[in-house]
Amino acid sequence: MKQCRQCNNFFPDDFNVCPVDNTDLVGSEDKYIGKIVAGCYRILSRIGKGGMGTVYQAKHRYLEREVAVKVLKPSVSGDLEHRKRIIRE
């Protein structure tokens, strides 16, 4: 996905210019930016990265509420104790 820095909308990678305001679109090296996770959260930006995963700023697609979403590292997500820790957080 590419993002327009003027209107903050996301567009497919084959777009180079924003169809809304004709601004050049910018791609992201982070594969989650612009994607929808868990069916309803669009990832907007990365907040931080730690030992268990990465925290992103996201927006709920239907409620229009901004939230933080933590994406676990694959090595952590398979471990039951790590998943219990995340649920407690």
Side-chain angles (χ1 to χ4, degrees):
M1 298 291 282
K2 291 184 180 177
Q3 185 177 20
C4 174
R5 296 295 180 199
Q6 184 70 29
C7 67
N8 289 321
N9 288 319
F10 290 92
F11 299 96
D13 285 329
D14 58 340
F15 281 54
N16 292 317
V17 177
C18 176
V20 175
D21 54 34
N22 210 29
T23 301
D24 288 337
L25 299 177
V26 179
S28 174
E29 293 179 14
D30 190 312
K31 69 178 183 176
Y32 286 103
I33 304 294
K35 302 288 184 191
I36 295 174
V37 297
C40 58
Y41 299 100
R42 180 170 303 275
I43 303 295
L44 302 175
S45 63
R46 185 169 71 184
I47 296 172
K49 191 172 185 177
M52 294 183 67
T54 305
V55 178
Y56 293 95
Q57 175 186 6
K59 191 169 194 175
H60 194 285
R61 292 173 61 194
Y62 309 113
L63 301 177
E64 295 292 319
R65 237 174 60 184
E66 289 196 9
V67 298
V69 172
K70 183 178 254 185
V71 177
L72 298 178
K73 291 180 179 179
S75 61
V76 174
S77 63
D79 181 41
L80 180 60
E81 289 305 313
H82 283 112
R83 288 198 316 252
K84 286 180 182 178
R85 181 176 166 193
I86 291 297
I87 291 169
R88 283 193 307 267
E89 286 182 9

